[in-house]
Amino acid sequence: MSTGFLSPRQPWQGRRVVLGVTGSIAAYKAIAIARSLTSLGAAVDTVLTDGARQFVSAISFEGVTGRDSATELFSVDKSALHISLGVEADVVCVAPATADFIARSSQGRANDLLSTTLLATKAPIVICPAMNTNMYTHPQTQRNLKYLSENLSYTVAGPAKGALAYGESEGMGRMLEPDEIIEEIGKALVGSSPLKDKVVLVTAGPTQESIDPVRFISNRSSGRMGFSIAQAAHRLGASVRLVTGPVALPDPYGVDTIRVNSAHEMLASVSEWLPQVDVSIFGAAVSDYGFEKIATNKMKRSEKKGPFILDLVENPDIALETKNERKAKSITVGFALETESLLGNARDKLERKQFDFIVANRADEEDAGFDSENNRVTLLFPDGRCEEVPLMSKHLVSEIIMGHILELLKDRP
Ligand code: C5P
């Protein structure tokens, strides 16, 4: 029985974002934030303070957003931007936020377009500080930030430790990276954190089974699907642990990422966590076979002619072996990647490994699946339901998967 699929939407799609930029050298990174938000489907209104315009110009933002960039509090037209921008916003993010802007907003000042927007809005507000370490750690700045987060419920995102513009050493005060700020904005747009207090475990990537110190067997899994699911779960407010085999992706923002090599290492990490986990998603492409012993030295080409034989031993099936360690009422999702009899094989795995649903996809499609940005999947449920999802980005597939998990959690509080 094939049914329609839940229409996926990422939190930025179709939303109004006011991006405030203040006078810090990190202002150049705000252009990348505006660009990414726009490509994620948001309508981005940028507001630049006088200080910001010392570093970047309104034209840059207009170029990447396709929308006007606002700078003046007092204008000759009747648009009342100081009110309308804030009222129409779904979220307001100030990135970078200087010590001066933070001080002004903690006092409720309204002496430029950005500070009036903060007072006029009822939307969530995300503040991304960027400043010198001494300015950041100064008790006045700390007091102002505390007031914004504790009394006004603003999200204070960052700063991070890293290279700063002045001086050679690293320090606290570096603005979060644009991708991280996009995630903070996404979290603010999701709002209610439906997975707050939930622990989610995701396995991702391939495993590498070592033959000798320099060789291994593995597969082409890129880890993108699992990483994207982990990021989506974090955005929904979950505490997320990602156990991944070797992949070329950076740790997802806010996700506790454990990097392992072999199936045995992945099993050990999963077993440690599974009893506390409310949702587990087995997205890893675990090697079915490995080696009992890894050769201590690099193996040499044999003098003998003929085939070179390696003895493989079966690896543990992580999802199956840890079945009885799952927390009561927890939700478990599996993946099936096949080149033949996709649905039959997937349904067999769904039942045998006792998943709440399984995400099936083909391994032999050029535009989807392994090592691709996109995926074309079918979701299979134990009651016989089958949901065919057309080709879309792995990020959107993650939204669909998380949507089903939220539905299942409603029945299992
Ligand atoms: O490899 P197979 O198609 O059986 O994988 C089905 C599901 O089981 C996937 O969710 C995969 O992550 C999981 N699995 C596992 N440990 C293995 C093999 C598969 O957890 N050794």
Side-chain angles (χ1 to χ4, degrees), residues 203 282-284 286-288 316-319 334-336 338 349 353 355:
T203 71
F282 289 94
V286 184
S287 300
D288 289 327
D317 187 313
I318 301 170
F335 275 76
E338 308 287 345
K349 286 172 194 173
K353 305 195 188 189
F355 294 133

Side-chain angles (χ1 to χ4, degrees), residues 12 52 89 171 219 266 274 298 312 335 345 382 393:
W12 309 273
N219 59 64
M266 189 173 274
L274 208 57
K298 185 181 164 205
L312 291 160
F335 275 76
N345 281 330
S393 77

Side-chain angles (χ1 to χ4, degrees), residues 340-358:
E340 57 191 350
S341 314
L342 174 66
L343 298 188
N345 281 330
R347 195 157 283 288
D348 170 61
K349 286 172 194 173
L350 171 74
E351 283 159 18
R352 206 159 35 84
K353 305 195 188 189
Q354 288 180 9
F355 294 133
D356 289 284
F357 64 93
I358 195 160

Side-chain angles (χ1 to χ4, degrees), residues 207-219 261-265 286-297 299 308-316:
T207 61
Q208 266 182 13
E209 308 300 328
S210 293
I211 301 170
D212 67 14
V214 295
R215 302 184 180 94
F216 57 81
I217 58 166
S218 190
N219 59 64
N261 282 309
S262 67
H264 282 278
E265 285 170 27
V286 184
S287 300
D288 289 327
Y289 294 90
F291 299 92
E292 199 158 24
K293 276 207 201 105
I294 304 169
T296 332
N297 296 311
M299 291 166 106
F308 188 88
I309 312 260
L310 288 170
D311 283 327
L312 291 160
V313 290
E314 217 178 320
N315 265 339

Side-chain angles (χ1 to χ4, degrees), residues 311-328:
D311 283 327
L312 291 160
V313 290
E314 217 178 320
N315 265 339
D317 187 313
I318 301 170
L320 196 62
E321 284 201 14
T322 57
K323 206 166 51 128
N324 298 330
E325 297 166 34
R326 294 176 195 166
K327 185 177 165 184

